[in-house]
Amino acid sequence: MALFNRFIQRRSNNPSQPYDRQLLIATFILMCVGMVIVASSSIPEGIALSADPFRFLKRQAFYLLLCLGLLCAVVCIPMKRWYDYQGVMLSLIFLGLIAVLLVGTEVNGAHRWLRLGPANIQPSEFAKPAIIFFLASYLYRRQKEVIDTIKGFMKPLFILFAFSLLLLLQPDLGSIVVIIVIMMGMLFIADAKLISFIGIGIALLTAIIALIMTSPYRMERVFGFLDPWAQPFGRSYQLTQSLMAFGRGGWFGEGLGNSVQKLDYLPEAHTDFIMAILAEELGFVGVSLVLMLEFYLVYKAFSIGKNALKQTLVFPGYVAIGIAIWFFFQTAVNIGAASGIAPTKGLTLPLVSYGGSSLISISLAIGLLLRIDYETRIATAKTLIKKVKSTKKSELKETTGEADVQ
């Protein structure tokens, strides 16, 4: 036991705690940055809605306190429990998506929120970790079938189709694309056949193009993305205002609190386009630092998943890899939409944008990563102890044999 404790402490970045301290520090820094930028970018809207300039800051602080409590709770739950109840969670989220369509709150023409007292819950945010749990459990049970047969590859896509249909009715094409990327990325990591990806990829791409072409507002977004300055006060209004914010920021920004675009020029300044306000106030340097922290989370998630799979912790390993894919894609799309690299989509910047459901789901993912890393360290320590004991036994046998000969 003493050897076990020493190994755990040596593997840890903190000599007394067996957890990934760098991951936790990066998470806390991003949460703090989010608090500051939400406070700065939401003041005009807070005054307009309730004469309270810190309306959204107070809510964000409350959400973050909930997230810290959730994170602590999730770290204490063994991954086996998540595996045992992943089907229940998937069913609950599925029912939540149905409830949104029946009794959900409509905001800007979309039914994506369930009102529970003073709070609005967005089930589509929790669909992402639910899909990750489902697919990780499926790969744990059926990985050989996924690799060897097209049937094994196709089975989880029926779940994808059911969820996508409900999300499409909201409508929420952004969440559909995120879920598709997560599932396809996890299946690719699981060594599914390339021909399966080609066929499914063509089918999915065709479906997404058809959805865009048959929806006038989606077509407007695409044309606005291709030529934002053709109608700067029409279909491309959000994007052109965001680009102006990036342009005003320069290298070091206009200074914290000095954004002009947040003064009712840029809609959704504290949610989907928070990166534009950050760029205007903190400049290229501030954007680069936040980007490095976001992609550091992605790197840590991939690293934790890889180490878990090395220790044959298949379900936890695939959960961590699914989280990494989720963080990477959502970060890339949010920044791409704000900077004009990708069409505008309603996806938040992880841990920075305002939004309770997004913060809670991402904090859940961070807690899972910490738990997976902890279980991987324990498995690694046990493996090392077995090797040490085996080596000592071999040495003892050799010593005994030499003594007998003498």
Side-chain angles (χ1 to χ4, degrees), residues 42-85:
S42 64
I43 287 175
E45 189 162 352
I47 293 173
L49 290 176
S50 61
D52 182 1
F54 300 112
R55 169 190 172 96
F56 293 98
L57 174 62
K58 293 173 184 176
R59 293 189 175 192
Q60 186 81 343
F62 174 72
Y63 292 143
L64 284 178
L65 288 175
L66 282 179
C67 289
L68 293 176
L70 175 67
L71 196 151
C72 293
V74 170
V75 170
C76 298
I77 301 174
M79 290 304 297
K80 188 178 184 305
R81 291 286 182 88
W82 295 104
Y83 175 78
D84 292 339
Y85 292 100

Side-chain angles (χ1 to χ4, degrees), residues 236-248:
S236 305
Y237 180 76
Q238 269 186 308
L239 179 53
T240 53
Q241 297 300 317
S242 179
L243 292 174
M244 283 190 276
F246 273 90
R248 291 189 75 248

Side-chain angles (χ1 to χ4, degrees), residues 11-278:
R11 288 273 297 171
S12 173
N13 297 306
N14 185 315
S16 62
Q17 295 293 333
Y19 65 92
D20 195 319
R21 187 172 62 178
Q22 280 81 9
L23 174 62
L24 207 55
I25 289 173
T27 300
F28 288 156
I29 291 174
L30 283 170
M31 285 179 170
C32 292
V33 170
M35 283 279 289
V36 172
I37 301 301
V38 165
S40 175
S41 60
S42 64
I43 287 175
E45 189 162 352
I47 293 173
L49 290 176
S50 61
D52 182 1
F54 300 112
R55 169 190 172 96
F56 293 98
L57 174 62
K58 293 173 184 176
R59 293 189 175 192
Q60 186 81 343
F62 174 72
Y63 292 143
L64 284 178
L65 288 175
L66 282 179
C67 289
L68 293 176
L70 175 67
L71 196 151
C72 293
V74 170
V75 170
C76 298
I77 301 174
M79 290 304 297
K80 188 178 184 305
R81 291 286 182 88
W82 295 104
Y83 175 78
D84 292 339
Y85 292 100
Q86 56 82 26
V88 175
M89 289 184 288
L90 192 72
S91 301
L92 288 174
I93 299 301
F94 191 79
L95 292 174
L97 292 175
I98 295 174
V100 164
L101 300 175
L102 299 176
V103 295
T105 302
E106 182 179 349
V107 179
N108 296 329
H111 291 82
R112 301 178 188 173
W113 293 268
L114 285 174
R115 183 173 291 280
L116 300 176
N120 280 331
I121 304 298
Q122 190 173 355
S124 60
E125 289 293 339
F126 300 99
K128 299 164 189 175
I131 288 292
I132 289 172
F133 282 133
F134 160 72
L135 194 56
S137 68
Y138 181 80
L139 291 173
Y140 174 67
R141 292 178 282 111
R142 304 285 183 86
Q143 183 166 358
K144 190 175 186 305
E145 186 180 349
V146 170
I147 296 172
D148 294 340
T149 66
I150 187 67
K151 181 182 177 182
F153 183 88
M154 291 294 294
K155 282 181 180 178
L157 297 184
F158 289 109
I159 299 294
L160 171 64
F161 176 78
F163 272 77
S164 297
L165 182 61
L166 292 176
L167 289 168
L168 188 62
L169 294 173
Q170 293 186 8
D172 190 356
L173 185 59
S175 294
I176 294 174
V177 174
V178 172
I179 289 173
I180 289 173
V181 170
I182 290 172
M183 291 195 74
M184 299 305 285
M186 291 177 70
L187 289 169
F188 181 79
I189 295 294
D191 289 331
K193 290 183 178 180
L194 184 60
I195 188 66
S196 301
F197 282 99
I198 294 173
I200 297 300
I202 292 173
L204 290 173
L205 185 60
T206 303
I208 291 173
I209 292 173
L211 289 173
I212 292 172
M213 294 186 68
T214 55
S215 174
Y217 86 93
R218 292 191 186 112
M219 286 294 292
E220 289 290 312
R221 283 189 173 186
V222 172
F223 285 126
F225 158 70
L226 294 174
D227 189 5
W229 300 105
Q231 295 185 21
F233 298 103
R235 66 192 181 198
S236 305
Y237 180 76
Q238 269 186 308
L239 179 53
T240 53
Q241 297 300 317
S242 179
L243 292 174
M244 283 190 276
F246 273 90
R248 291 189 75 248
W251 283 96
F252 301 103
E254 295 292 320
L256 192 61
N258 292 329
S259 168
V260 172
Q261 298 306 119
K262 69 183 180 185
L263 303 176
D264 289 336
Y265 291 105
L266 178 60
E268 309 297 336
H270 58 300
T271 55
D272 301 345
F273 283 86
I274 197 167
M275 183 56 82
I277 304 303
L278 191 149

